[in-house]
Amino acid sequence: MQYCTHCGNLLPDDAKNFCPHCGTSLTDASPAATRPKKRLTPADAPGGLDRTSFFKTYSNGRRLCIAAAIIGYVCAAGTVVAALTNLVEYINAYALLDAIILLVLSLLIHLLCSRIAACLLLAYALYNTIAMTIMFGTPSGWLGLVAGVLAVIGAFQYAKEWRDYQPRSYETTALFRS
């Protein structure tokens, strides 16, 4: 298996001259590159990438959003299990609404890296944690808070990375055109 020495993506067997992901010349690269050298950052991104390609390979904010969404999915699944099995006496069928809200917000964060959904998840998790602590005397819902904080950090970092990349990308593509 060969990896691009510039972007770290797996190269298809038919890639001879250029990486299909970032466009780096493969003839200059050493054939001994069998593993990506490091985790790629937005600073490593070549110019001219579209938004999807940039975020798929280079965005640290996207990685945080995916981590937050996974935690949100786990919280939603735990809520559904607790509501349907009556494992915890104060969780009832109304908790399914809570699970749906968590699931929808987590999906929006995962698929769109939405800053609005991230802020809503954080606010909703904070409200749930405070309400559960006051009503039942036990702090619960803290995992939702972790997901909300990660989502807010990731979504805002995601937007900043793209905003910082755009001028550099336009400069690079303008050099190629002239």
Side-chain angles (χ1 to χ4, degrees), residues 92-106:
N92 54 27
Y94 291 111
L96 293 176
L97 179 62
D98 181 52
I100 291 170
I101 292 170
L102 284 172
L103 182 64
V104 168
L105 291 174
S106 296

Side-chain angles (χ1 to χ4, degrees), residues 144-178:
L145 278 176
V146 171
V149 168
L150 279 177
V152 167
I153 292 170
F156 280 91
Q157 183 177 355
Y158 177 89
K160 183 182 182 311
E161 288 169 347
W162 180 247
R163 193 173 46 246
D164 292 344
Y165 172 72
Q166 282 180 317
R168 193 179 66 204
S169 174
Y170 292 135
E171 290 172 5
T172 305
T173 52
L175 288 174
F176 285 127
R177 288 183 189 154
S178 55

